[in-house]
Amino acid sequence: QVQLVESGGGLVQAGGSLRLSCAASGRTFSDYAMGWFRQATGKEREFVAAINWSGRNTYYAVSVKGRFTMSSDNARNTVYLQMNSLKPEDTVVYFCAARRGVVRTTTSEFASWGQGTQVTVSS
């Protein structure tokens, strides 16, 4: 099993940028897939982006496509979410997650989760 720790959240102005990091520890596998999800208070956790461990394939939710970019740094066991053109509706807690096998875009398919990091976008 892998342990995940998110960081990089904070307060930014609308239109600004922020980069989230997710550091993984423990056993990792070449067929791991990593995901970013977010959750607002009172709402279900939703998919944001996902990537396979090799970084060859990425997937994005329609709401963030063209604004967010997910990447991986295998040497540091870390994945990133570069968030540009941030909007007030991006103000939620962001979580990273990991699973074995192919990329999935639903929360139920991920077994390992980080603690979350808060992103706040002011207007």
Side-chain angles (χ1 to χ4, degrees):
Q1 198 172 49
V2 63
Q3 293 76 50
L4 307 173
V5 179
E6 304 98 333
S7 62
L11 174 65
V12 296
Q13 292 281 344
S17 298
L18 202 63
R19 188 180 74 163
L20 305 183
S21 299
C22 177
S25 61
R27 187 76 168 94
T28 58
F29 301 90
S30 61
D31 63 344
Y32 260 41
M34 303 292 294
W36 284 99
F37 295 79
R38 63 187 185 183
Q39 186 172 25
T41 301
K43 295 193 173 185
E44 69 179 15
R45 195 166 297 182
E46 66 176 358
F47 168 75
V48 176
I51 194 170
N52 65 320
W53 190 246
S54 69
R56 293 173 296 179
N57 305 101
T58 52
Y59 301 84
Y60 299 95
V62 173
S63 60
V64 305
K65 192 172 185 179
R67 299 189 297 123
F68 292 8
T69 302
M70 189 173 182
S71 61
S72 61
D73 184 344
N74 291 351
R76 301 186 66 85
N77 291 322
T78 302
V79 296
Y80 304 93
L81 185 67
Q82 178 66 47
M83 305 184 294
N84 300 324
S85 301
L86 283 163
K87 305 174 181 179
E89 51 261 46
D90 298 320
T91 299
V92 292
V93 177
Y94 287 74
F95 299 86
C96 65
R99 73 179 306 276
R100 293 286 303 279
V102 299
V103 168
R104 302 294 189 191
T105 59
T106 58
T107 59
S108 62
E109 296 287 355
F110 287 79
S112 300
W113 293 87
Q115 83 288 349
T117 185
Q118 175 71 52
V119 170
T120 302
V121 183
S122 62
S123 58

